[in-house]
Every structure is written in structure tokens, then in C-alpha cells.
Amino acid sequence: MPNSKIKILIAEDSPTQAEQLRYVLEQQGYQVSVAQNGLLALQMASELHPTLIVSDVVMPEMNGYELCRKIKADPVLHDTPVILVTTMSDPEDVIRGLECGADNFFLKPYDNDSLLSRVRYVLVNREMRGADESGMGVEIYFNGQRHFITADRLQILNLLMSTYEAAIQRNKELNRNKEELQLLNAKLDNANKELESFSYSVSHDLRAPLRHIDGFVGLLESHIGNTLDEKGLHYLKTISKAAKTMGLLIDDLLAFSHMGRAEMMQSETNLESIVQEVIRDLKPEINGRKVQWKIAALPQIKADSAMIRQVFVNLLSNAVKYTRPRELAEIEIGAQGAKDETVFFVRDNGVGFDMKYADKLFGVFQRLHRTEDFEGTGIGLANVRRIIARHNGRTWAQSKLDEGSTFYFSLPTSPERQP
Amino acid sequence: MNEMKRILLAEDNLQDVQLTLSALDEYHLAKEVMVVRDGAEALDYLRRRGHFNDRVNDQPVVVFLDIKMPKMDGVEVLREIKADPELKLIPVVMVTSSREQSDLLQSYMLGANAYVVKPIDFEQFIVTIKGLGLFWIVLNEPPPEYSS
């Protein structure tokens, strides 16, 4: 039979998938019609008398199994082969396919060549299929369920063969994916090693010249310091200060990079005692200023304690720092439980920032204040974001200039996954 | 009283040598320092080989080892010293730029007697090196065979 005489009915609720299928089949010269669900397909089938039906399984109104069962029970249409397009994620799919009398399975996602060869196979088999109508029906047990199958032997064989073929195909895909993954993993491993040796070299080789700059400035000062005027001394101080700042930047950057690679040690973490310890350690920075701490009850969480401690060190020392111009600094620490995450916050009545720059805040070496006003390298919040991200949480901030800021971070309630 | 006591400083970088010597000089300890410029030379000195074959046998009371050096790095030198029955009692101090965990761990595993990070801040650098010199030359009792 020439292809142009062959009528194929597609039952598929996704318009894009239906159109793709139609295109591929029409390229081969088949006559193609599309129905958006099983019910429409059934109506169209009784008008069109298609040579073959290709049906999706999951559809509204009437699904693929039901459509197939109706076709196979129809006195006129019962010889029409039905190919079911399935994701084959459940072994029961095969049984359901057998029960409804489907002729062939097709695995989603598919490539066009194997789709077409499958269609040709079913068409050829349909012509060869003679009078083997000895479908007495068999009873089988699968997964503890009793099933009754009436399809004829050839049909059952075809369906099982197509299932087997699909399984092999899936297996090949999985193997290919596995190999790709292994390759990517090796690359990642390599990149990690390179990163490690890079940061090793940074910590050795970049610090030495800075030490020399500051060292020789120091020697120069002790050598000719008493002959220099104020300006000369100021220049020397500036050079020395710049070298030290760069030293801090390098240290911070290394610590930041280390934070991204360090192994996580999850344990039950008592946030209240962490907060108390951090506040105690901040005493020298508070330096006699008036700070009113408001600390709500904080839940016990499962996390890397050292990393979470670092989060509070950064957030609380920021709060202390940016409330410096206030007569009375007010710093509030709290938590709000939501369905699958807990949101923690640190609120202060400090100088705040313009929300326009909120997205810059968590970037590496990004600062919204001048170093003369508020010291710092700009790594603290980048560290916070990285640590929280490693705990599968989120970080954000809210502020009004001159009125204070609130920094939030969320932690999932069940943090089993690790990135 | 300490004229026999000597520090062996293995440091490839001239600037670092100069800064270290000027720090030690504040306690007039600089003249006690023998400077070698890489790891291989440090071992030659300790084993009285190469152009050190005619030096008298008075081992240093301490070896200050930089880690990153050409030819043979400080960790390798440390490994050799601590594996050599003739040398293993000599105290070795790693004096280096980095506080990399891997360096720290490896050094202590191999038997380093101390690990000191050279600060970038010059004042702190002076305090650190001066303190090191004072400790090893004046305060610390060396192992018996050197207490001549």
C-alpha cells in the first residue's frame, strides 16, 4: 500500500508534540489527522477508519488505554493497530497495554528514525496478521494483581518485543548518560584540583611581594624617617596601608574560596548558643557603645555549625558596624517557621542602604559604603550567601536608607541534600 | 655566651633574607645566621657536602625553612632532615608565607618543631622574627650533642 493511502490518527493533548509527530509522518507521505484527547480520537476513528492509531497515554477526557480498549472492542475498528506513546516509568504500563490490547509501545522521548521504523513495522505486521484470532484470554498475576488479557498471541508478542526494545533503548541511553557523567565528573575533579593549586599559589606567591613592600617601607622609614617631612611620611604610610589592605583582600578571598570547597559537617546545631558566643566575641568591636540586643527563641537546626557560626559572625558584626552612628543601637535576631523552611533574620537600626543596590550586596568585594566611613573588604555577605546556598537556603535583604536593614536567610527544614 | 649558636636560614628570596636579617639584627642575632638559598643547599650545608665540605662540625641550633624554594622545597628538606639519624634532632621551624592547611598538616606530620607564618604587616613581621630568634637562640635548650 503506498504511504499516501495510509491514514494515521494521532491522539495527543500536547499541541507541540502532536504537531511534531504530524510533521514527521507527513514527511513520509502519510495522511495524518490529530485529535486532542481519547474521546475525540474515538469519534474521528469511526468516521475516518484510520490505518493506524498513535496515541499518547495521559490525556484528558479519555486516556490512551481507554481509547485502545474502545477501539479493540469496536466491531468495525477492532483490527486497527494502536501504538501507545509512553514514558514507561511504571512496569504496570506493560500490563495495562496488554489489557487494553495495544499493538505496540513507543518510548517517549523518541527520535524520528526509530519512530518511523516502528510505524512501518506495525503496518507490515498488520498486513501479515491473518486469522490468528485465537484470543481465548489468559490470566496473569503481576505485582500481586490479577490481570486478564484477551489480545492474540502475535499481538502480545509484538507488544512485549516492543517493550523489550524500549527497555534496551532506555538502557543504552542510561549507559551513555553514565559515561557522560563520569567524563564530566573527571573534568570537575580536574578543575577542582587546578583551583586548589591556584589558591595555594595565591596564598604563597601573592603575599610575599606585599610583605616586601611593607617591609621595605618600614626599613626606609627607620632609615630616613627623621629627615622626611609630613608629606613624605604620609606617602610611606599610604604605601604601607595599601599593602596591608591587599593582604587582607587576599586572605579574605582565600577564605571565601575555601568556604566553597570545604567539606560540610552537618550536625545538630544550637543557634542560640552560637548567637550568644558571637555576641560575646563582638565585645571589643562594640567597645562600650550602647547596644540593645533582642534575641528571639531560635530553633535547633541540622547544619555545619562552623559555617553557620560564620554566617552569624558576618551578619552580627555588620549590624554592630553599621549602627555605629546611633546613640542606641538596636539589633534584633529572630526566626519564622514556614512550611518547608525556616527564615532567620538580623535587623538593625543602622545607616541602611538604598534598595536599588540590594542585588550587589552579596557579591564578592562589593561594598555600598566608603572604607573611610565603614571599614571592610566586602567579602562577608558573599560568604553568607555561599554558606547558605551550600545549605540549600536563600539570602536576601531589606533596607531603608538611614532607617536600618534586615538581613534574611532561609534554611530548608529537611536539609538532606548536599550540593 | 652564644657565639657558637647558629641559625641556618633557607630562603630563596633576597628581599625576605634582608627583612629577616634586619629583624634579627634588633637583638644582634643577625651575625649568627647562615643563609642558604634553596633546599638542596640547605642539605649540603647540614651534611657538609659540596662547597660546605670543609666547614667545622658545629650544626645550627635551629633551621628556619621557607616552604616554596627552587630545586627542593622546604617540606622535602624537612623530610630529609627528619629521616636522617645524624640530623633528625636539629629543630626545624617552617617559616613561610602561607597558612595552607595542607602545608601545616604535612609539616607537622613530618616532625616540624614549629610553623610560623610571616605576617605582611612589617611591625608584626619584626616582632615575629625577633621573637623566633630570641626563642631559639637564647631561650631554647638545644639537643645534647650541640650544647658544647
Side-chain angles (χ1 to χ4, degrees):
Chain A
M1 201 193 300
N3 284 1
S4 57
K5 287 270 169 71
I6 293 172
K7 292 183 279 184
I8 299 180
L9 175 62
I10 297 170
E12 167 66 80
D13 59 329
S14 149
T16 45
Q17 288 187 29
E19 279 316 301
Q20 193 194 346
L21 210 50
R22 179 208 284 275
Y23 175 78
V24 174
L25 294 171
E26 277 180 349
Q27 288 290 96
Q28 301 301 313
Y30 298 121
Q31 286 182 46
V32 182
S33 323
V34 173
Q36 276 87 36
N37 63 49
L39 204 58
L40 287 172
L42 193 61
Q43 287 165 8
M44 283 173 79
S46 41
E47 288 160 26
L48 279 170
H49 295 276
T51 328
L52 169 69
I53 297 172
V54 177
S55 173
D56 187 18
V57 168
V58 184
M59 288 183 294
E61 302 288 337
M62 182 187 286
N63 69 22
Y65 299 128
E66 189 58 30
L67 168 66
C68 184
R69 191 172 302 123
K70 290 259 159 69
I71 295 282
K72 296 298 176 185
D74 188 291
V76 184
L77 298 170
H78 71 280
D79 267 345
T80 318
V82 177
I83 299 181
L84 289 177
V85 181
T86 162
T87 53
M88 202 79 89
S89 48
D90 182 353
E92 298 275 340
D93 285 349
V94 182
I95 297 294
R96 288 188 201 111
L98 284 170
E99 277 182 324
C100 74
D103 295 80
N104 217 294
F105 265 128
F106 203 78
L107 198 60
K108 216 174 0 181
Y110 45 78
D111 64 275
N112 296 343
D113 286 344
S114 49
L115 169 84
L116 290 171
S117 75
R118 188 63 60 86
V119 166
R120 277 194 289 271
Y121 174 82
V122 172
L123 288 170
V124 167
N125 262 291
R126 176 188 152 273
E127 285 173 14
M128 278 170 47
R129 199 157 101 193
D132 180 24
E133 297 288 345
S134 54
M136 298 282 292
V138 276
E139 227 179 7
I140 60 163
Y141 282 90
F142 185 77
N143 265 0
Q145 289 261 325
R146 181 180 159 278
H147 300 272
F148 191 68
I149 289 154
T150 53
D152 69 59
R153 281 178 306 169
L154 184 62
Q155 198 181 354
I156 292 174
L157 195 61
N158 271 330
L159 187 72
L160 290 179
M161 290 292 281
S162 77
T163 309
Y164 184 68
E165 203 182 323
I168 297 271
Q169 187 191 336
R170 180 61 50 96
N171 200 27
K172 273 190 191 145
E173 278 168 21
L174 284 177
N175 271 332
R176 204 166 40 237
N177 287 349
K178 197 174 108 194
E179 275 163 31
E180 264 169 37
L181 264 180
Q182 278 167 344
L183 201 72
L184 282 176
N185 229 345
K187 274 191 189 162
L188 201 63
D189 240 25
N190 224 357
N192 245 337
K193 284 215 179 75
E194 258 171 45
L195 196 65
E196 247 161 61
S197 78
F198 173 76
S199 83
Y200 181 84
S201 152
V202 165
S203 85
H204 271 284
D205 301 341
L206 255 52
R207 291 165 62 96
L210 291 173
R211 196 169 57 242
H212 304 151
I213 293 171
D214 199 38
F216 283 91
V217 165
L219 289 182
L220 185 64
E221 198 183 338
S222 61
H223 190 57
I224 55 158
N226 50 5
T227 67
L228 286 177
D229 61 3
E230 209 171 302
K231 216 172 199 175
L233 283 172
H234 169 70
Y235 291 159
L236 283 185
K237 278 222 164 55
T238 308
I239 297 171
S240 153
K241 216 170 130 193
K244 282 171 197 147
T245 304
M246 177 124 180
L248 285 181
L249 288 174
I250 290 175
D251 286 350
D252 281 354
L253 203 55
L254 284 174
F256 178 67
S257 131
H258 181 72
M259 196 61 89
R261 285 176 291 134
E263 211 169 300
M264 303 231 315
M265 316 261 259
Q266 303 257 6
S267 64
E268 284 301 321
T269 301
N270 183 339
L271 291 180
E272 289 188 8
S273 65
I274 285 184
V275 166
Q276 290 303 341
E277 279 165 31
V278 172
I279 290 175
R280 196 189 55 215
D281 293 348
L282 282 171
K283 282 267 150 63
E285 279 180 57
I286 291 168
N287 195 19
R289 279 172 45 208
K290 267 198 261 171
V291 178
Q292 194 181 79
W293 296 96
K294 225 171 116 186
I295 305 162
L298 300 173
Q300 183 111 339
I301 57 163
K302 196 152 194 280
D304 183 305
S305 316
M307 288 190 182
I308 292 297
R309 190 190 150 86
Q310 193 57 46
V311 167
F312 278 105
V313 167
N314 289 326
L315 292 181
L316 296 185
S317 65
N318 273 355
V320 167
K321 192 196 309 184
Y322 293 107
T323 51
R324 207 183 294 147
R326 301 286 179 256
E327 185 85 30
L328 174 67
E330 291 167 35
I331 302 173
E332 188 186 346
I333 301 147
Q336 294 149 1
K339 198 170 86 165
D340 38 34
E341 60 176 15
T342 310
V343 174
F344 299 88
F345 65 87
V346 174
R347 181 172 296 135
D348 66 55
N349 65 337
V351 296
F353 61 86
D354 190 334
M355 280 302 281
K356 203 160 56 181
Y357 307 113
D359 57 326
K360 286 197 166 180
L361 219 49
F362 293 92
V364 175
F365 293 155
Q366 293 280 2
R367 301 212 62 211
L368 300 185
H369 299 274
R370 286 192 216 100
T371 319
E372 302 98 277
D373 300 336
F374 296 101
E375 69 290 344
T377 55
I379 202 82
L381 289 176
N383 248 332
V384 168
R385 172 156 288 179
R386 181 168 268 193
I387 291 170
I388 296 304
R390 291 199 64 185
H391 284 84
N392 301 310
R394 299 170 295 122
T395 31
W396 67 101
Q398 220 136 42
S399 181
K400 216 166 183 183
L401 206 54
D402 277 330
E403 286 181 21
S405 323
T406 309
F407 285 86
Y408 298 89
F409 66 90
S410 72
L411 290 173
T413 326
S414 50
E416 295 100 15
R417 289 174 301 126
Q418 270 200 26
Chain B
M1 61 183 231
N2 291 320
E3 50 270 295
M4 302 298 287
K5 293 189 172 182
R6 179 171 300 153
I7 297 170
L8 177 66
L9 171 65
E11 169 66 71
D12 63 309
N13 186 297
L14 260 189
Q15 281 95 304
D16 268 314
V17 170
Q18 228 176 315
L19 292 174
T20 307
L21 291 182
S22 48
L24 290 170
D25 203 34
E26 295 207 1
Y27 287 149
H28 309 289
L29 297 170
K31 60 180 188 309
E32 323 288 350
V33 181
M34 175 67 208
V35 180
V36 288
R37 303 292 304 285
D38 61 56
E41 218 177 55
L43 282 176
D44 280 352
Y45 180 86
L46 292 171
R47 289 173 173 155
R48 289 186 292 148
R49 290 185 316 206
H51 50 275
F52 297 109
N53 61 4
D54 54 352
R55 78 170 176 92
V56 289
N57 187 16
D58 58 337
Q59 293 292 33
V61 292
V62 65
V63 180
F64 290 174
L65 273 184
D66 184 23
I67 287 190
K68 266 195 117 178
M69 287 188 291
K71 288 189 201 167
M72 194 178 197
D73 71 27
V75 174
E76 285 173 82
V77 177
L78 172 69
R79 192 195 312 269
E80 290 264 337
I81 292 176
K82 294 301 176 186
D84 185 333
E86 302 274 310
L87 305 178
K88 67 176 183 192
L89 291 184
I90 303 176
V92 178
V93 179
M94 311 308 284
V95 184
T96 176
S97 294
S98 101
R99 53 175 57 81
E100 284 287 307
Q101 297 295 304
S102 56
D103 285 341
L104 268 163
L105 191 65
Q106 219 184 357
S107 299
Y108 279 116
M109 296 261 259
L110 290 172
N113 299 78
Y115 189 109
V116 174
V117 177
K118 289 179 269 192
I120 285 176
D121 185 310
F122 185 55
E123 276 170 42
Q124 286 174 30
F125 178 87
I126 295 278
V127 171
T128 304
I129 300 295
K130 242 168 39 176
L132 258 187
L134 187 68
F135 178 83
W136 290 103
I137 290 280
V138 181
L139 297 177
N140 189 52
E141 282 299 330
E145 52 258 62
Y146 310 109
S147 57
S148 50

